[in-house]
Amino acid sequence: MGYEENCEKYVERKGRLTTVLALATLISAFGSSFQYGYNVAVVNSPSPFIQTFYNQTYMDRYGEPMDSNFLTLLWSLSVSMYPLGGFLGSLMVAPLVNKIGRRGTLLFNNIFSIVPAVMMGLSEVAKSYEIIIVARILVGICAGLSSNVVPMYLGELSPKNLRGAIGIVPQLFITIGILTAQVFGIRGILGNSSGWPFMLALTGVPAVIELFLLPFFPESPRYMLIQRGDEKTARRDLQRLRGREDVDEELQEMRVEEQSERAEGRLSVLNLFSFRSLRWQLVSIIVMNMGQQLSGVNAIYYYADSIYATAGVRENDIQYVTVGTGAVNVFMTIAAVFIVEASGRRLLLLSGFGICCGACILLTIALTFQTSVEWMPYLSITCVIIYVSGHAIGPSPIPYVVTTEMFRQSSRPAAFMVAGSVHWLSNFTVGLVFPFLEKGLGSYSFILFAFICLATLAYIWWVIPETKNKTFLEISQMFAERNGAEILVGTEDLDLKEAKPGSGWQEETKVTAF
């Protein structure tokens, strides 16, 4: 009996959003993903006051003001240590999720939020700017872990017909975190000389909530069954998540997946790069994560204030316009949650990168003629909003969803480790290189971003299939053709072998099931 026939029953039974699944999604996304977004934006608005604290602390210690170049260096370290910490956190993903599970990793990760939150909150009292720099590394580790583990955890909890929508929820909470930091950063709230330590310390609140509530929700049933061999717990947790007793069909699909990869064992990152049957999946997540970060999203935010100022927005009002841009980001990510299962992942990726490409080209034109044509500054503002909207519906959220779907249980942790490392290194690169690009190329730097968006779009068009409403094993089958590999699953014997030379990837990949 073929795999598709064997799984016909559970294909017809669509999963629903149960209370347990909804709460597990909200608690893990708020407790972890929210902090990623919050700490991206939290230092932006109060930066003049934090730098004043740096200077005052130095003066109290040494009796003279800090050199401006040294102050710039310290502030650059304070900002750039966050993505560096994110990279370090990504390197910890695979060992932790394999050892203590997805939920266990999220609970452990709260250490990297609560401790730095206390450190940053007490930095002014301790009269130490070094504490802030070290805390930014730690909170970056938290973001590096959460940005990879939350999508993995929720992707494994979700029924396949809701996996796309639930997979976007972490990105939604990232945007909500950014917006929250922008709102708190308004001068009249916490973005002032007395409120900034409290503002930095607030990142620990979601972590405390998650630490107390998440233990009441299930570990990933796939992890429990496939990696721990605990079918009893997997069944019980799956019943809680699906809100019904009959979960045999879904457990059967997990067993089929387990058999299909038994020969692989648990893959390390090194194995991942050498394994032929995962070649194009690996290239795809690298391209998508590089495209996501190198497409200019951080540069757009960096440029936004000067664009708004040139357009005639008063300096004191720019903070409110920035909050409005953050609200657009949240709104469009919410829209993506509701349309991803109808439109599919591929269409949102293509549309998003296409919109970003067009917006970068128009923004280059608008910035070039901004001082000579009266209405051009308003076109610049429009381009920023269009770019943010395009990025929010595709490039920002979908790579996390697709990374979960492209890899099976044995290879998923290592895949997220690679994807996360590429994500954070690209993020760090843009932050490091863009000021030089802006100085050398000015507005023409956005042509480079337009080219990156176009190249990523072309790759998605030619290589990445639609993964909507597919099981993890079915998606592996789809890539098996392009990889030139053949997946065989049986009750007694299992073979994952390379296709015969000359077979081409038009040949059907054979799968036998129980």
Side-chain angles (χ1 to χ4, degrees):
M1 182 183 290
Y3 171 77
E4 291 82 4
E5 296 174 39
N6 189 58
C7 299
E8 187 175 335
K9 290 182 181 178
Y10 76 81
V11 169
E12 294 174 354
R13 174 178 279 179
K14 290 188 175 182
R16 60 189 179 88
L17 186 63
T18 60
T19 303
V20 173
L21 178 58
L23 289 176
T25 300
L26 293 175
I27 291 167
S28 59
F30 175 65
S32 297
S33 302
F34 175 90
Q35 296 182 69
Y36 173 5
Y38 185 82
N39 286 293
V40 164
V42 72
V43 295
N44 293 344
S45 185
S47 61
F49 305 104
I50 302 176
Q51 290 181 61
T52 299
F53 161 69
Y54 282 19
N55 195 36
Q56 185 61 49
T57 301
Y58 188 89
M59 186 176 292
D60 291 343
R61 289 181 188 176
Y62 306 108
E64 60 183 17
M66 186 182 291
D67 180 75
S68 61
N69 290 330
F70 185 54
L71 177 59
T72 302
L73 174 63
L74 281 181
W75 184 245
S76 297
L77 284 173
S78 302
V79 174
S80 62
M81 286 301 101
Y82 182 68
L84 182 62
F87 172 68
L88 295 176
S90 296
L91 297 180
M92 297 164 63
V93 170
L96 284 175
V97 296
N98 285 328
K99 184 72 174 176
I100 61 176
R102 283 65 166 146
R103 184 190 62 175
T105 301
L106 291 178
L107 293 172
F108 171 76
N109 192 31
N110 289 315
I111 295 172
F112 297 109
S113 177
I114 296 170
V115 171
V118 173
M119 291 171 65
M120 291 187 288
L122 296 176
S123 58
E124 189 177 35
V125 176
K127 297 186 181 302
S128 171
Y129 47 74
E130 294 89 351
I131 286 178
I132 294 178
I133 295 172
V134 173
R136 288 285 290 176
I137 297 176
L138 295 177
V139 85
I141 292 174
C142 173
L145 277 166
S146 66
S147 64
N148 292 289
V149 180
V150 177
M152 188 191 309
Y153 176 58
L154 296 183
E156 293 180 8
L157 293 189
S158 308
K160 65 180 182 179
N161 61 297
L162 295 176
R163 203 163 53 224
I166 290 176
I168 292 177
V169 171
Q171 180 62 32
L172 172 60
F173 273 85
I174 290 173
T175 63
I176 293 172
I178 292 172
L179 179 59
T180 303
Q182 289 169 339
V183 171
F184 286 168
I186 292 173
R187 297 287 185 266
I189 302 178
L190 292 175
N192 50 55
S193 58
S194 60
W196 66 263
F198 185 65
M199 185 177 170
L200 295 183
L202 281 175
T203 188
V205 174
V208 171
I209 293 172
E210 181 180 60
L211 194 60
F212 280 102
L213 295 182
L214 194 60
F216 295 101
F217 293 88
E219 177 57 90
S220 160
R222 286 181 177 274
Y223 170 77
M224 296 306 298
L225 178 63
I226 298 176
Q227 291 183 245
R228 296 287 295 273
D230 188 348
E231 183 170 340
K232 182 180 178 181
T233 302
R235 178 183 292 275
R236 183 195 65 206
D237 289 346
L238 199 57
Q239 288 170 339
R240 288 183 64 199
L241 288 163
R242 300 295 177 261
R244 61 173 186 263
E245 293 295 315
D246 182 13
V247 292
D248 288 341
E249 293 89 350
E250 198 164 350
L251 286 171
Q252 178 80 340
E253 182 259 317
M254 292 181 196
R255 293 189 196 102
V256 172
E257 181 181 340
E258 179 188 18
Q259 273 207 318
S260 74
E261 57 186 11
R262 191 177 296 155
E264 299 173 22
R266 188 177 299 164
L267 295 183
S268 66
V269 172
L270 187 61
N271 295 142
L272 201 64
F273 278 94
S274 61
F275 215 72
R276 180 173 176 175
S277 68
L278 298 173
R279 181 178 300 166
W280 281 101
Q281 293 96 309
L282 188 62
V283 173
S284 295
I285 63 168
I286 290 173
V287 169
M288 282 190 297
N289 279 277
M290 288 183 68
Q292 181 196 60
Q293 291 300 308
L294 300 181
S295 60
V297 61
N298 294 317
I300 287 284
Y301 280 116
Y302 179 88
Y303 224 99
D305 282 6
S306 63
I307 291 171
Y308 297 148
T310 308
V313 179
R314 288 181 299 180
E315 184 177 352
N316 192 52
D317 293 338
I318 287 176
Q319 57 185 331
Y320 301 108
V321 180
T322 302
V323 168
T325 306
V328 170
N329 197 5
V330 172
F331 175 79
M332 293 307 297
T333 307
I334 292 172
V337 171
F338 287 99
I339 65 176
V340 65
E341 294 301 348
S343 63
R345 290 73 158 133
R346 192 168 180 270
L347 179 60
L348 288 184
L349 282 170
L350 292 171
S351 302
F353 277 110
I355 291 169
C356 291
C357 179
C360 283
I361 293 171
L362 281 176
L363 184 58
T364 302
I365 296 170
L367 291 173
T368 302
F369 296 101
Q370 192 154 260
T371 55
S372 56
V373 180
E374 187 178 349
W375 51 269
M376 276 295 175
Y378 301 102
L379 178 60
S380 299
I381 292 177
T382 304
C383 287
V384 170
I385 294 171
I386 290 173
Y387 180 96
V388 168
S389 300
H391 214 275
I393 63 168
S396 286
I398 303 300
Y400 297 110
V401 177
V402 176
T403 301
T404 302
E405 295 179 326
M406 281 183 178
F407 295 87
R408 290 174 290 158
Q409 202 72 19
S410 65
S411 53
R412 192 173 296 124
F416 266 98
M417 191 166 157
V418 172
S421 300
V422 171
H423 170 101
W424 286 102
L425 282 176
S426 300
N427 186 321
F428 180 76
T429 301
V430 171
L432 192 67
V433 171
F434 180 71
F436 298 99
L437 276 178
E438 184 201 358
K439 187 175 181 179
L441 299 176
S443 60
Y444 292 102
S445 56
F446 288 99
I447 289 293
L448 177 62
F449 297 133
F451 174 78
I452 291 171
C453 289
L454 184 62
T456 310
L457 186 153
Y459 180 89
I460 293 166
W461 177 269
W462 288 108
V463 175
I464 297 179
E466 179 54 66
T467 57
K468 179 183 74 172
N469 210 30
K470 303 287 186 185
T471 66
F472 296 123
L473 188 54
E474 287 171 337
I475 295 166
S476 293
Q477 289 176 253
M478 293 161 67
F479 273 100
E481 297 181 0
R482 183 172 286 276
N483 287 320
E486 188 176 29
I487 300 175
L488 298 177
V489 183
T491 52
E492 295 181 356
D493 61 282
L494 160 68
D495 189 19
L496 176 59
K497 62 184 182 181
E498 297 181 357
K500 295 177 182 178
S503 62
W505 63 277
Q506 294 297 326
E507 286 190 11
E508 182 180 353
T509 301
K510 298 177 182 178
V511 176
T512 58
F514 290 89

